[in-house]
Amino acid sequence: MSTPSLCYKDLRPNVRSGDLIAFESHTFSGRMVRVWSSSRYAHVGIAMWLSAGGARPRLFLLEARSGHGVGMRLMSSAGACWYIPTRINWNADVNRFVWPQLGTTGYDWMSVWRRIFFLPPRRDGVYYCSEFAGEILLRGGFKLPDEALVDPGELVYAVLRNGPGQIFWMDAPPRKVEGQAKAITRSPRQSAIPP
């Protein structure tokens, strides 16, 4: 199966608030997540457009990260990733959930460990990446089975099964290097695991 690969600037105008963003991480912890979940995906977040004070809208990534808690960063600084359209309804319920979570410093390691031993995650207001992203999708009207919140791969597969069914590889945007624009691109790794 061939996955379309697009550059950031070409794909960016198609991204909507609520779309799923997935990453393959090649760090030690990222590899552990990928091995444990039998998936190529080690981390997920949610795209969100934001404009303040009349400035042009900027594309952000909402995510729960170990060592950072729940936060947001510019999508242009997130690197190469997978883009999965969800077409959720970004509504008042999503906003009521997202804004109070931003800046919280906890990461739900307890639920991660519980998942390793096939126990359900705790619902305690502290999140790990797929749990946080899944909660946004649920509040936006996306139908997800409970097992979709287990790990990044399960969430990606659930969105592909229950949503538009599209996935795109998004190359990292160009980055300035010593006065020149240099594109940082990487093709998706070949794997026996389907995207």
Side-chain angles (χ1 to χ4, degrees):
M1 177 169 123
S2 175
T3 302
S5 178
L6 299 167
C7 68
Y8 175 79
K9 73 177 182 68
D10 292 338
L11 194 52
R12 183 179 182 269
N14 298 308
V15 177
R16 291 182 45 190
S17 290
D19 287 342
L20 185 65
I21 306 296
F23 298 88
E24 297 176 19
S25 173
H26 299 287
T27 64
F28 176 76
S29 61
R31 287 179 185 177
M32 294 304 295
V33 169
R34 290 171 49 208
V35 167
W36 169 67
S37 64
S38 300
S39 166
R40 71 173 1 144
Y41 311 106
H43 180 64
V44 291
I46 297 289
M48 180 184 74
W49 285 95
L50 185 61
S51 178
R56 68 182 174 87
R58 302 290 305 265
L59 182 58
F60 287 89
L61 176 68
L62 294 168
E63 60 191 335
R65 293 191 324 175
S66 173
H68 299 275
V70 174
M72 61 190 227
R73 59 182 161 147
L74 284 170
M75 192 63 211
S76 59
S77 69
C81 59
W82 296 94
Y83 161 64
I84 306 106
T86 63
R87 297 196 177 106
I88 70 163
N89 176 22
W90 193 278
N91 57 36
D93 191 29
V94 173
N95 280 328
R96 278 190 298 270
F97 170 72
V98 166
W99 293 107
Q101 301 302 325
L102 289 176
T104 58
T105 57
Y107 188 78
D108 196 4
W109 282 110
M110 181 57 73
S111 287
V112 171
W113 284 107
R114 289 178 61 83
R115 295 307 312 146
I116 289 170
F117 295 105
F118 303 102
L119 297 170
R122 296 181 330 174
R123 297 292 181 210
D124 55 5
V126 180
Y127 298 93
Y128 58 93
C129 69
S130 53
E131 187 181 30
F132 179 68
E135 190 66 36
I136 293 171
L137 295 176
L138 287 169
R139 289 170 186 265
F142 201 92
K143 303 291 185 226
L144 288 172
D146 287 340
E147 63 270 9
L149 306 180
V150 169
D151 63 60
E154 284 296 327
L155 185 59
V156 168
Y157 299 137
V159 169
L160 286 172
R161 281 190 302 269
N162 301 315
Q166 299 171 307
I167 188 168
F168 302 90
W169 177 254
M170 186 165 36
D171 288 327
R175 187 167 62 177
K176 293 268 184 179
V177 177
E178 297 179 25
Q180 295 180 314
K182 180 180 178 185
I184 299 171
T185 59
R186 180 175 64 79
S187 297
R189 290 186 170 265
Q190 298 300 317
S191 170
I193 303 169

